[in-house]
Coordinates of all heavy atoms in Angstrom, one line a residue:
R12 N 4.1 -11.1 -7.1 CA 4.7 -9.9 -7.6 C 5.4 -9.1 -6.6 O 6.2 -8.2 -7.0 CB 3.6 -9.0 -8.3 CG 3.0 -9.8 -9.5 CD 1.9 -8.8 -10.2 NE 2.6 -7.8 -10.9 CZ 3.0 -7.8 -12.1 NH1 2.9 -8.9 -12.9 NH2 3.7 -6.7 -12.6
G13 N 5.1 -9.3 -5.3 CA 5.7 -8.5 -4.3 C 5.8 -9.3 -2.9 O 4.8 -9.2 -2.2
P14 N 6.9 -9.9 -2.7 CA 7.0 -10.7 -1.4 C 7.4 -9.9 -0.2 O 7.4 -10.5 0.9 CB 8.1 -11.7 -1.8 CG 9.0 -10.9 -2.8 CD 8.0 -10.0 -3.6
D15 N 7.7 -8.6 -0.4 CA 8.3 -7.9 0.7 C 7.3 -7.2 1.7 O 7.6 -6.9 2.8 CB 9.3 -6.8 0.2 CG 10.4 -7.4 -0.5 OD1 10.9 -8.6 -0.1 OD2 11.0 -6.9 -1.5
D16 N 6.1 -6.9 1.1 CA 5.2 -6.2 1.9 C 3.8 -6.2 1.2 O 3.7 -6.5 0.0 CB 5.6 -4.7 2.1 CG 4.7 -3.9 3.2 OD1 4.1 -4.6 3.9 OD2 4.9 -2.7 3.2
E17 N 2.7 -5.9 2.0 CA 1.4 -5.9 1.3 C 0.6 -4.8 2.1 O 0.8 -4.5 3.2 CB 0.7 -7.2 1.3 CG 0.5 -7.7 2.8 CD -0.3 -9.1 2.8 OE1 -1.4 -9.1 2.4 OE2 0.4 -10.1 3.2
G18 N -0.4 -4.3 1.4 CA -1.3 -3.4 2.1 C -2.7 -3.2 1.4 O -2.7 -3.6 0.2
E19 N -3.7 -2.7 2.1 CA -5.0 -2.5 1.5 C -5.6 -1.1 2.1 O -5.3 -0.8 3.1 CB -5.9 -3.7 2.0 CG -5.6 -5.0 1.4 CD -6.5 -6.1 2.0 OE1 -7.4 -5.7 2.8 OE2 -6.2 -7.3 1.7
F20 N -6.3 -0.6 1.2 CA -7.2 0.6 1.6 C -8.7 0.2 1.2 O -8.8 -0.2 0.0 CB -6.7 1.9 1.0 CG -7.7 3.0 1.2 CD1 -7.8 3.7 2.3 CD2 -8.7 3.3 0.1 CE1 -8.7 4.7 2.5 CE2 -9.5 4.3 0.3 CZ -9.6 5.0 1.5
F21 N -9.6 0.3 2.1 CA -10.9 0.0 1.7 C -11.8 1.0 2.4 O -11.8 1.2 3.6 CB -11.4 -1.4 2.2 CG -12.8 -1.8 1.9 CD1 -13.1 -2.1 0.6 CD2 -13.7 -1.8 2.9 CE1 -14.5 -2.5 0.4 CE2 -15.0 -2.2 2.6 CZ -15.4 -2.6 1.3
D22 N -12.7 1.6 1.5 CA -13.7 2.6 2.0 C -15.1 2.2 1.5 O -15.4 2.4 0.3 CB -13.3 4.0 1.4 CG -14.3 5.1 2.0 OD1 -15.3 4.8 2.6 OD2 -14.0 6.3 1.9
D23 N -15.8 1.5 2.4 CA -17.1 1.0 2.0 C -18.1 2.1 1.6 O -18.9 1.9 0.6 CB -17.7 0.2 3.2 CG -18.9 -0.6 2.8 OD1 -19.0 -1.1 1.7 OD2 -19.8 -0.6 3.6
E24 N -18.0 3.2 2.3 CA -18.9 4.3 1.9 C -18.7 4.9 0.5 O -19.6 5.1 -0.2 CB -18.7 5.5 2.9 CG -19.7 6.6 2.7 CD -19.5 7.7 3.8 OE1 -18.9 7.5 4.8 OE2 -20.1 8.8 3.5
S25 N -17.4 5.0 0.1 CA -17.1 5.5 -1.3 C -17.1 4.4 -2.3 O -17.1 4.7 -3.5 CB -15.8 6.3 -1.2 OG -15.9 7.4 -0.4
G26 N -17.1 3.1 -1.8 CA -17.0 2.0 -2.7 C -15.6 1.9 -3.4 O -15.5 1.6 -4.6
I27 N -14.6 2.2 -2.6 CA -13.1 2.2 -3.2 C -12.3 1.1 -2.4 O -12.3 1.0 -1.2 CB -12.4 3.6 -3.0 CG1 -13.2 4.6 -3.8 CG2 -11.0 3.5 -3.4 CD1 -13.0 4.4 -5.3
G28 N -11.7 0.4 -3.3 CA -10.7 -0.6 -2.7 C -9.4 -0.6 -3.5 O -9.3 -0.6 -4.7
L29 N -8.3 -0.6 -2.7 CA -6.9 -0.5 -3.3 C -6.1 -1.5 -2.6 O -6.0 -1.6 -1.3 CB -6.2 0.8 -3.1 CG -7.0 2.1 -3.6 CD1 -6.3 3.4 -3.2 CD2 -7.2 2.0 -5.1
A30 N -5.4 -2.4 -3.4 CA -4.5 -3.4 -2.8 C -3.2 -3.4 -3.5 O -3.0 -3.1 -4.7 CB -5.1 -4.8 -3.0
F31 N -2.1 -3.7 -2.7 CA -0.8 -3.5 -3.1 C 0.1 -4.7 -2.7 O 0.0 -5.1 -1.5 CB -0.2 -2.2 -2.7 CG 1.2 -2.0 -3.1 CD1 1.5 -1.6 -4.4 CD2 2.3 -2.1 -2.3 CE1 2.8 -1.5 -4.9 CE2 3.6 -1.8 -2.7 CZ 3.9 -1.6 -4.0
R32 N 1.0 -5.2 -3.5 CA 2.0 -6.1 -3.1 C 3.4 -5.6 -3.6 O 3.6 -5.1 -4.7 CB 1.8 -7.5 -3.9 CG 0.5 -8.2 -3.4 CD 0.8 -8.9 -2.1 NE -0.4 -9.6 -1.6 CZ -0.4 -10.6 -0.7 NH1 0.7 -10.9 -0.1 NH2 -1.5 -11.0 -0.3
R33 N 4.3 -5.5 -2.6 CA 5.6 -4.8 -2.8 C 6.8 -5.6 -2.9 O 7.1 -6.6 -2.2 CB 5.8 -3.8 -1.6 CG 7.0 -2.9 -1.8 CD 7.3 -2.1 -0.5 NE 8.3 -1.2 -0.7 CZ 8.9 -0.5 0.3 NH1 8.6 -0.8 1.5 NH2 9.9 0.4 -0.1
L34 N 7.5 -5.3 -4.0 CA 8.9 -5.8 -4.1 C 9.8 -4.5 -3.9 O 9.8 -3.6 -4.7 CB 9.2 -6.4 -5.5 CG 10.7 -6.8 -5.8 CD1 11.0 -8.0 -4.9 CD2 10.8 -7.2 -7.2
A35 N 10.4 -4.5 -2.8 CA 11.1 -3.2 -2.3 C 12.4 -3.0 -3.1 O 13.3 -3.9 -3.0 CB 11.4 -3.3 -0.8
I36 N 12.4 -1.8 -3.8 CA 13.6 -1.5 -4.5 C 14.3 -0.2 -4.0 O 15.4 0.0 -3.9 CB 13.4 -1.3 -6.1 CG1 12.8 -2.7 -6.6 CG2 14.5 -0.9 -6.8 CD1 13.8 -3.8 -6.6
I37 N 13.4 0.8 -3.8 CA 13.8 2.2 -3.3 C 13.1 2.4 -1.9 O 11.9 2.1 -1.7 CB 13.3 3.3 -4.3 CG1 14.0 3.0 -5.7 CG2 13.6 4.6 -3.7 CD1 13.6 4.1 -6.7
D38 N 13.9 2.8 -0.9 CA 13.5 3.0 0.4 C 12.8 1.7 1.0 O 11.6 1.5 0.9 CB 12.5 4.2 0.5 CG 12.2 4.6 2.0 OD1 12.7 3.9 2.9 OD2 11.6 5.6 2.2
L39 N 13.7 0.9 1.5 CA 13.3 -0.4 2.0 C 12.6 -0.4 3.3 O 12.1 -1.3 3.8 CB 14.5 -1.4 2.1 CG 15.4 -1.4 0.9 CD1 16.5 -2.5 1.1 CD2 14.7 -1.7 -0.4
S40 N 12.5 0.8 3.9 CA 11.9 1.0 5.2 C 10.4 0.9 5.2 O 9.8 1.0 4.1 CB 12.4 2.3 5.9 OG 11.6 3.4 5.3
P41 N 9.8 0.9 6.4 CA 8.3 0.9 6.4 C 7.7 2.2 5.8 O 6.5 2.3 5.5 CB 8.0 0.7 7.9 CG 9.1 0.0 8.5 CD 10.3 0.5 7.6
L42 N 8.5 3.3 5.7 CA 8.0 4.5 5.1 C 7.7 4.4 3.7 O 7.1 5.3 3.1 CB 9.1 5.6 5.4 CG 9.3 6.0 6.8 CD1 10.4 7.0 6.9 CD2 8.1 6.5 7.5
G43 N 8.1 3.2 3.0 CA 7.7 3.0 1.6 C 6.5 2.2 1.5 O 6.1 1.8 0.3
H44 N 5.8 1.9 2.6 CA 4.6 1.0 2.6 C 3.5 1.7 1.7 O 3.3 2.9 1.7 CB 4.1 0.9 4.0 CG 2.8 0.0 4.1 ND1 2.7 -1.3 4.0 CD2 1.5 0.5 4.3 CE1 1.5 -1.7 4.1 NE2 0.7 -0.6 4.3
Q45 N 2.7 0.8 1.0 CA 1.6 1.2 0.3 C 0.3 0.3 0.6 O 0.6 -0.8 1.1 CB 1.9 1.1 -1.2 CG 2.9 2.0 -1.7 CD 3.1 1.8 -3.3 OE1 2.1 1.8 -4.0 NE2 4.3 1.8 -3.7
P46 N -0.9 0.9 0.4 CA -1.2 2.2 -0.1 C -0.6 3.3 0.9 O -0.6 3.2 2.0 CB -2.7 2.2 0.0 CG -3.1 0.8 -0.1 CD -2.0 0.0 0.7
M47 N -0.2 4.4 0.2 CA 0.3 5.5 0.9 C -0.7 6.7 0.9 O -1.3 6.9 -0.1 CB 1.7 5.9 0.2 CG 2.4 7.0 1.0 SD 4.1 7.4 0.3 CE 5.0 6.0 0.6
S48 N -0.8 7.3 2.0 CA -1.8 8.4 2.2 C -1.3 9.7 2.4 O -0.2 9.9 3.0 CB -2.8 8.0 3.3 OG -3.4 6.7 3.1
S49 N -1.9 10.8 2.0 CA -1.5 12.2 2.3 C -1.7 12.4 3.8 O -2.4 11.7 4.5 CB -2.4 13.1 1.5 OG -3.7 12.9 1.8
A50 N -1.1 13.5 4.2 CA -1.0 13.8 5.7 C -2.5 14.0 6.2 O -2.8 13.7 7.3 CB -0.2 15.0 5.9
D51 N -3.4 14.5 5.3 CA -4.7 14.7 5.8 C -5.7 13.5 5.6 O -6.9 13.5 5.8 CB -5.3 16.0 5.2 CG -5.4 15.9 3.6 OD1 -5.1 14.8 3.1 OD2 -5.8 16.9 3.0

């Protein structure tokens, strides 16, 4: 589903896992990488 990029977020303490596969359409730069996090 997404050959252009991949990423994961895993927090063992909270029991949360997020995985993403990217097909880049808007903002092809690394700044569009996911999972994306807030500044804090």
Side-chain angles (χ1 to χ4, degrees):
R12 299 183 67 90
D15 297 325
D16 193 13
E17 61 179 292
E19 297 173 3
F20 170 82
F21 179 74
D22 184 348
D23 188 39
E24 182 178 347
S25 300
I27 294 294
L29 305 174
F31 179 73
R32 292 283 178 160
R33 185 186 187 195
L34 178 66
I36 301 295
I37 297 177
D38 191 350
L39 312 186
S40 77
L42 294 176
H44 176 79
Q45 298 184 42
M47 186 176 290
S48 303
S49 59
D51 62 5

